[in-house]
Amino acid sequence: MESVVINLFPNFAFWKLHSLKEYLLFFLMLASGIALLFYVLRRMKKARTPAGSLKRITEAVQKQSHGKARILRPASPLLQGCDLLVLLNQDLVILKNVYTGYFIQGSYHAEQWKISDNSMSQEIANPLPFLQKDAIEIENLLKKNKIENLTLHYFVLFSDNYAEPEITLDDAALPYAQTLKTFKDWLKKHQLHPHTAQELEAIQKALEPLCKVEE
């Protein structure tokens, strides 16, 4: 670091400030570093919102699916558990997004799950029963429209961007929990044997009473 500074500012005595110019250069560099830090922190805080986290999820899905996934949003009061639906080649993924908190504790049958980080702790209603009801509504709608060969999945997605979430759930609940990192890995494995564009359009149309396509 010292050699870099010396090369950039030959007359700058590192940590030995004698002239006004050296003081100005030192505090200019310090102020620039602090400004950059605040800029990064502000961007992270802005992204740690429901809208910001859904945007990150959408971008991750489109990247992993090479832009082929279709993003749907719930558009009916019948869907009370999910925030986002992802239509893949042969899979429909129902997602509940938990955007803040990176320590997660709970169990499949618990009424409440504990979500915390280094500065807060809260309890939320166990999201799994709500996702299960959403899955039943969607499955019934697909059957009504004779849509087959589409596998339904539902996950609680912990997407806090401050740290990689640590999930402590029992064995029954753990398969339904994902972080954004593990969800990306899951997506890589579910891109085989795609439906045709016509089949995807039929699925999307069948889901219209419950969902709308994200613009």
Side-chain angles (χ1 to χ4, degrees), residues 42-80:
R42 188 171 66 176
R43 283 184 61 89
M44 289 180 66
K45 186 175 181 180
K46 184 178 180 181
R48 200 192 195 201
T49 61
S53 60
L54 287 175
K55 181 180 178 182
R56 290 198 311 278
I57 294 168
T58 299
E59 290 174 349
V61 168
Q62 295 296 10
K63 182 177 180 180
Q64 294 299 328
S65 67
H66 306 289
K68 296 178 181 178
R70 304 194 182 194
I71 307 298
L72 308 173
R73 292 291 184 97
S76 167
L78 294 175
L79 299 183
Q80 298 185 359

Side-chain angles (χ1 to χ4, degrees), residues 130-201:
F130 299 97
L131 285 174
Q132 290 163 356
K133 290 178 182 178
D134 288 356
I136 291 171
E137 290 288 346
I138 292 170
E139 187 175 20
N140 289 339
L141 186 61
L142 293 173
K143 286 181 178 178
K144 181 180 177 181
N145 287 272
K146 299 180 181 179
I147 301 295
E148 300 177 350
N149 300 322
L150 186 69
T151 304
L152 289 183
H153 310 267
Y154 56 88
F155 298 119
V156 184
L157 183 57
F158 299 97
S159 59
D160 197 315
N161 63 325
Y162 279 16
E164 179 68 11
E166 298 179 14
I167 301 174
T168 307
L169 299 174
D170 65 355
D171 291 341
L174 198 56
Y176 303 101
Q178 299 271 9
T179 67
L180 191 53
K181 180 180 179 181
T182 61
F183 186 54
K184 289 178 184 178
D185 294 335
W186 186 92
L187 287 169
K188 291 178 182 178
K189 302 174 183 178
H190 289 77
Q191 298 296 320
L192 302 176
H193 310 298
H195 285 288
T196 65
Q198 185 177 4
E199 289 172 328
L200 289 174
E201 288 293 337

